[in-house]
Amino acid sequence: METKTELIVEKDEAKKIQMSGSHAVIQSLLKEGVNLVFGYPGGAIMPVYDALYDYHDRLHHVLVRHEQGAVHAAQGFARVTGKVGVAIVTSGPGATNTITGIADAMIDSTPMVVISGQVGSPLLGTDAFQETDVIGISQPVTKWSCQVKKAEEIPAAIAKAFYIARSGRPGPVLVDITKDAQANMMEFDYVPVTQVRSYQPVPTPDSDKIAEAARLINLSKKPLALVGQGVMLGGAEKELLKFLEKSGVPAAWTLLGMSVMPSDHPLNVGMLGMHGNVGPNVKTNEADLIISFGMRFDDRVTGNTKAYAVNAKVIHFDIDPAEINKIIYADVPVLGDIKETLPMLTHMVSNNTHETWVKEFRACDKIETQKIIQPELYPTKEGITMGEVIRRVSEAMNHDAILVTDVGQHQMMASRYFKFRQSRSVVTSGGLGTMGFGLPAAIGAKMGRPDRQVVLFVGDGGFQMTIQELGTIFQTKIPVKIVLLNNNFLGMVRQWQELFFDKRYASTELINPDFQLISKGYGIMSEKVTSRDQLDEAILKLVNSEDAFLLEVVVEKEGNVFPMVPAGASVSDIRLE
């Protein structure tokens, strides 16, 4: 530990701790309660990694195989724990490789701090080896980013980064630290940030707006609640259920709002959006009141905005003023922390049931079950469907696992057919739709919640985008369960080509490698299923394995995800075939 002795000393006269900037980085992370980081070392961040060597017993570092893997893993960790995920990378390509994950975290409101190394201050702007303007690149996709050139500025920058990342509407922050700032000595003094000038993360609720919202709810005959991830981020799941159960309002959820309420709750009427359930989509245009909780009216939810919620007034609860009236006009906007505003609303609403209205959703469920769900989950045809695999895995895990998905058909199938008992049980890429997200995110999710089963559903296309992260599993022995749904296609693009491009399958058919051999090379147990009679036994092996396990299931090549609202269509124009 000679390095630590040289770089961390105590000034006798003032009893202040002197340390290098690199040690200040680690100490700052520890002050924020961080005990797990994901990263990849390199020249410009090497002093921080050298300091990290002295803290291996207090700060666990996971060596990924690509910087994109580091940020997605940090996202997975953050999404299941509610804590800030942390990634550490080097300058140049190391930093630019994080941008996709940072953008993903930004649009999906995931709290994350990325620490990147940078060339020494005298070299800035000279096109030095592995120098990029990562601040300029990252500013559009971060809540905040800064460059630190002096060692003494490191603690304050990291404290501010964590405060901004976790407060209000969460999001990613990047702190770029020059190599000389990491190496130079400074007096360490860490002061947590509790406010930033001109930044108001939580608006003050307007009680008059909440009273008006309650009045409209009490008068409504056909109200529909739309539940987004904001309820989960605000920790207001119990408050939501109290409101729904008192008011009797049926509730639908967005892709990222999945698992906010139990799948079997009697007021849960299903998923919104392009591949959502028939009821909540069609009934949106029959509702006389839409109550939005922590969702942003994404285009995949609204379809054609001119034909959206045509008979309804809209109440919009959100913490971010930028979301109000951005896409759908709100007759009653309610700003504030939803954990505070929801109980205020519940106190003012009347007891109700809306039994007749809820039955209309169940009538839609019967149609959807007969035409789509039953054939998908209990097929009589020869080929294995994605839906039946997802159903059987969910059942085998007692509907109580954390679901991680990549992006594509399997993502929509999993969101439709995987079931949940508790919140923070879904990790998926929503707004950005990042293929390659799933495998590293599953690693982060399992490390964040080692007490829960974590199962990844991934397609053969997305799997190969970050397949190198099997090496991270191999080295760390993280028991992630992987279900590879292999149809030898880029399935979602192929589906669009079938429906809208006359089956002109341009560049979507995949010639895949032997995934079983690859899995074996990484020391991961695996099994391949090609027929239905093999499925249950293979799923039991997956579920009961104490180690990582890859289950590859060859599914039908041209299976489609229905229902479907075509792009640009009204939510009422949902297709069943």
Side-chain angles (χ1 to χ4, degrees), residues 249-261:
V249 175
W253 36 269
T254 67
L255 179 65
L256 293 185
M258 195 170 18
S259 86
V260 167
M261 56 191 304

Side-chain angles (χ1 to χ4, degrees), residues 3-15:
T3 304
K4 188 173 182 180
T5 303
E6 293 172 359
L7 297 181
I8 302 179
V9 296
E10 190 172 300
K11 291 180 69 176
D12 292 334
E13 67 275 18
K15 298 294 182 183

Side-chain angles (χ1 to χ4, degrees), residues 149-164:
K149 302 176 186 178
K150 297 180 179 179
E152 57 268 26
E153 296 174 354
I154 288 174
I158 292 179
K160 185 175 179 181
F162 272 83
Y163 173 70
I164 292 175

Side-chain angles (χ1 to χ4, degrees), residues 493-544:
V493 182
R494 186 215 55 78
Q495 177 170 335
W496 281 54
Q497 289 173 334
E498 175 186 339
L499 298 177
F500 309 117
F501 293 88
D502 300 320
K503 293 189 176 182
R504 292 161 61 89
Y505 296 158
S507 302
T508 46
E509 188 164 10
L510 294 171
I511 306 299
N512 284 322
D514 187 330
F515 293 114
Q516 300 298 299
L517 280 177
I518 292 172
S519 180
K520 183 178 180 181
Y522 281 110
I524 296 172
M525 292 185 296
S526 67
E527 185 151 339
K528 184 174 183 177
V529 169
T530 57
S531 63
R532 186 168 288 115
D533 58 1
Q534 302 170 315
L535 195 52
D536 284 340
E537 184 179 349
I539 289 173
L540 282 177
K541 289 181 181 179
L542 171 89
V543 173
N544 293 331

Side-chain angles (χ1 to χ4, degrees), residues 32 39 44 58 167 188 207 214 236 246 385 393 436 517 524 538:
E32 288 291 343
R58 299 174 60 191
S167 60
F188 183 76
S207 58
K246 182 179 181 183
T385 67
V393 172
L517 280 177
I524 296 172

